[in-house]
Amino acid sequence: MLATTFLQQADFLHVLYIVAFALFIYGLSGLTGPRTAVRGNRIAAVGMAIAVIATLLARGEGNWALIVIGVALGTAVGVPAARRVHMTAMPQMVALFNGVGGGAVFLIAWAEFRNTGGYLGEPTYFAVFSLFAAIIGSVSFWGSNIAFGKLQELLPGRPITLGRSQQLVNALVAAAAVACAVAIVAGSHSQLLFILMLIAAAVLGNLVVLPIGGADMPVVISLLNAFTGLSAAATGVALNNPALIVAGMIVGASGSILTNLMAVAMNRSIPAIIAGGFGGGGVVAGATGAGEHAGTVRSTTAADVAVQLAYARQVVIVPGYGMAVAQAQHAVRELAKALEARGVGVSYAIHPVAGRMPGHMNVLLAEADVPYEQLREMDDINPEFARTDVALVIGANDVTNPAAKTNPGSPIYGMPILDVEDANSVVVIKRSMNPGFAGIDNELYTRPNTAMLFGDAKTAVSELTAELANI
Ligand code: NAP
């Protein structure tokens, strides 16, 4: 009995919460490098387990059967899903998990509204934070579900818009949600009003994400992630739960930083991404398709490229989205090993937004056991291209496009790129002259030092390794 009372004392619970969020922060610092990432993740998970135990102790009574069923259901769905997911499906998995977080936040806010009879006798700040959490949590839940649907191709990836009236309708729906919240803070205890507010926020979540093209989804998911974090922090303030405040703010801050980094690396402003209409998988106006390139494109063979590679001193591999699609990372590693066995120096140039999610290339190459020291970040590798014999571009397109530096009219103008054109020779492996994500031609392909090796990345790279063995 004494032990139970001690375990439920507010001071003891606060100590547990402090330990929990200290572990979140320590764990997060481990995520800055691949060597410490797994450990960091485990440390943060221990922190979360401590926070959950503290919360269950604090509640004292409560429906234990329901809690156990909830935990069992969550484990049964979450663990196999996380184990089985393919790396290429990670963005939609994150969207789904993020949506669940937002959903939990708005349901908790609803439960608090009911438990307190519409905030009867509660301080104003409690109502304000709880309603903020409900609106943002609901936007995040519905927005994340749409993001998941688009990435999973359950919904069309192209932008679905209301045309010119889109922003006006969004503003009206947002105003309706806020008006309901204001009426509740002002003293209305009507549950109908609360439900109307949730519905308006739900419509807003759908309206905001539907106009955004499928390929912009990783940025949107990161933004929604920041929203979920903020709404969880607001719930923490309302429930007086310090661990939830800290965890929510960490998610909110890191989500905002990541969103900004991705937007900067793509040279797009966050409002422009939210305004939508880009990245629907189609080709934007002004782009040309196969064979319409201005200038001559030189095509080469695996045998010729293998000779160049065999006699090179330094080869820089530039992976992109096509390597992920072809799942060519293991074949790439085999080719690199064969080159290294001949004394050729091999490194990998990693652009911050190559592929379709942050760290996409790092994850794929780590899966193929590429030594981490060989992965070089853009700013670090760019000066090296001038000393590189062969830049081998594998399924990368936009991240190598010189138009980002030379053509002010280009949609990617200003985006930092990998300076592959500075290499002595550039070999580009892709299947056709089709554009990449930005839907624009790549003038790199018509440069005199560039040759195209047309084909699927995995097949082409395997052919190179086979040809190399004959030299
Ligand atoms: P990209 O510009 O989208 O180009 C990928 C190229 O891969 C395509 O041109 C395609 O040409 C080729 N490809 C596709 N399947 C292939 C296969 N099986 N074998 C060989 N090639 C294949 O890719 P990127 O250079 O990696 O640039 C990423 C783009 O995505 C950037 O514009 C970035 O802003 C955007 N983006 C990135 C993120 C992120 O977080 N990383 C998020 C959102 C958007 P073919 O069809 O001719 O083969």
Side-chain angles (χ1 to χ4, degrees), residues 11 21 25 82:
D11 284 348
F21 64 66
I25 295 168

Side-chain angles (χ1 to χ4, degrees), residues 215-219 262 265-268 278 319-323 325-327 351-361 394-400 412 415 429-438 445 454-458:
D216 264 346
M217 278 307 141
V219 188
M262 286 166 83
M266 292 164 73
N267 194 35
R268 318 248 337 265
F278 183 88
Y321 178 62
M323 183 186 82
V325 176
Q327 286 292 296
H351 191 281
V353 291
R356 289 293 183 273
M357 61 175 182
H360 204 170
M361 298 300 116
I394 305 177
N397 188 343
D398 295 343
V399 299
T400 64
I412 61 165
M415 167 173 154
I429 300 179
K430 69 199 291 288
R431 298 163 306 176
S432 64
M433 291 302 289
N434 284 344
F437 167 78
Y445 305 159
F454 288 113
D456 170 73
K458 191 173 174 181

Side-chain angles (χ1 to χ4, degrees), residues 53-70:
I53 290 169
T55 306
L56 292 179
L57 283 174
R59 290 200 61 80
E61 80 280 11
N63 192 333
W64 286 96
L66 267 184
I67 292 171
V68 171
I69 292 173

Side-chain angles (χ1 to χ4, degrees), residues 131 135 139 167-185 192-204 207:
L131 291 166
I135 294 176
V139 168
Q167 302 309 334
L168 178 69
V169 176
N170 286 6
L172 287 176
V173 177
V178 174
C180 293
V182 170
I184 293 170
V185 175
L192 181 66
L193 212 51
F194 192 92
I195 294 172
L196 279 178
M197 180 192 76
L198 286 183
I199 292 173
V203 173
L204 186 63
L207 285 179

Side-chain angles (χ1 to χ4, degrees), residues 212-235:
I212 302 172
D216 264 346
M217 278 307 141
V219 188
V220 175
I221 290 168
S222 169
L223 189 65
L224 290 170
N225 198 21
F227 280 6
T228 303
L230 284 182
S231 61
T235 308

